[in-house]
Amino acid sequence: MAYELTIEPLGVTIDVEEGQNILDAALRNGIYLPHACCHGLCATCKIQVVDGDIEHGDASPFALMDFERDEGKALACCATLCSDATLEAEIDEEPDAETIPVRDLLGSVVALEQLTPTVKGVFIRLDEPLRFQAGQYVNLHIPGAGCTRAFSIASHGGDPTLIELNVRIVPGGVGTTYVHEKLAVGERVTISGPYGRFFVRKSARAPMLFMAGGSGLSSPRAMIHELLREDCTLPITLVYGQRSRQELYYHDEFLELARRHPNFTYVPALSDASGDAGWDGYLGFVHEAAREHFDNDFRGHKAYLCGPPPMIEACLAALMQGQLYERDIYTEKFISAADAQQVRSPLFKRV
């Protein structure tokens, strides 16, 4: 049984299956509603139910308080419909966003590559093309676990049927442990996507700064390759940090891109190079390397940040001190149930 849901101020009506949460239904119809944790904890997806009956699901009482429920508010990632309904949501207009409905796709693992001691590259040949914007991510269904895990698309070749995921193992993590220890070449897998609003704001026509750490390199790699493939002539800078040289994957690839494209600058940084004799790159963290490279002046740039939350917070502070502010900064942070309560930056409201 399906119910009709009207989303204002768009004035669009979609079908919502019984038991399907509102956020999932909207995304699968190409309608972006703000969201982050998808666990009912961060309140990013809070909506106003104008008419109709809903079930609140597993919404946290801290993210959705009793008086808010009485006022008709709900969390789109948890709420399901019990009747036809109408809701209001804050939907920002984004000129660079493409309308791409979320879909489920099947594919086969065609290659696995150990990129570093902790990061594995997973290459999946899909049964049909996946349209996405460079920087977006997919959910990989974990067999036997009844769950999905989100991974950014690291693909760089422009082939819509071949996607690459770079997966860092998380001790005790169900999804990453499966990928590292059980996933095999030839295995059939299911993904859903694309998700996310992390993509290049090309209409801004501004120099771009990418700041990445850990396995957060995936999205910037896809975005930079796409820009260079499109013969972008604007200045592009990648500041990429890891703890040690053996964790600095795709280092040679970016050195080669910098040699071939005069508008692309690569700034690698190691936070601990004690075991890497001969390292002649920057010693320190990503935000420190960026601050030195730009002489603490980031004005006029669009910045794209992807990495662990402490790195992003440090980069936000450095950018702000260098006179780059919220409207010119975009971030991608994967939010687990454990850290959903800390999703918001204390520095900025939007990122």
Side-chain angles (χ1 to χ4, degrees), residues 59-75:
S60 160
F62 299 101
L64 186 68
M65 298 184 180
D66 288 342
F67 78 90
E68 293 179 303
R69 298 175 191 235
D70 294 340
E71 292 174 350
K73 291 185 169 56
L75 301 185

Side-chain angles (χ1 to χ4, degrees), residues 220-265:
R221 179 177 182 239
M223 298 156 89
I224 290 168
H225 271 282
E226 181 181 83
L227 288 166
L228 296 177
R229 204 166 53 243
E230 295 174 346
D231 296 324
C232 172
T233 57
L234 292 166
I236 303 169
T237 303
L238 169 64
V239 183
Y240 169 40
Q242 286 283 10
R243 176 181 294 274
S244 64
R245 176 63 185 86
Q246 66 175 351
E247 289 290 341
L248 198 71
Y249 61 104
Y250 290 131
H251 175 62
D252 292 338
E253 175 182 295
F254 287 114
L255 289 175
E256 176 60 23
L257 287 177
R259 279 191 288 268
R260 287 166 39 202
H261 300 274
N263 61 320
F264 174 62
T265 303

Side-chain angles (χ1 to χ4, degrees), residues 103-157:
R103 294 186 299 147
D104 297 321
L105 296 99
L106 289 169
S108 299
V109 178
V110 293
L112 296 168
E113 182 178 351
Q114 198 70 44
L115 299 173
T116 80
T118 62
V119 177
K120 178 166 286 189
V122 179
F123 299 81
I124 301 171
R125 177 67 69 184
L126 300 171
D127 293 355
E128 54 187 310
L130 170 66
R131 180 183 164 209
F132 64 93
Q133 290 187 265
Q136 291 189 294
Y137 67 92
V138 295
N139 282 336
L140 175 67
H141 294 245
I142 307 301
C147 65
T148 63
R149 289 294 182 269
F151 299 109
S152 294
I153 302 171
S155 307
H156 71 286

Side-chain angles (χ1 to χ4, degrees), residues 165-179:
L165 310 177
N166 298 159
V167 180
R168 177 183 295 280
I169 191 165
V170 176
V174 173
T176 62
T177 298
Y178 179 85
V179 170

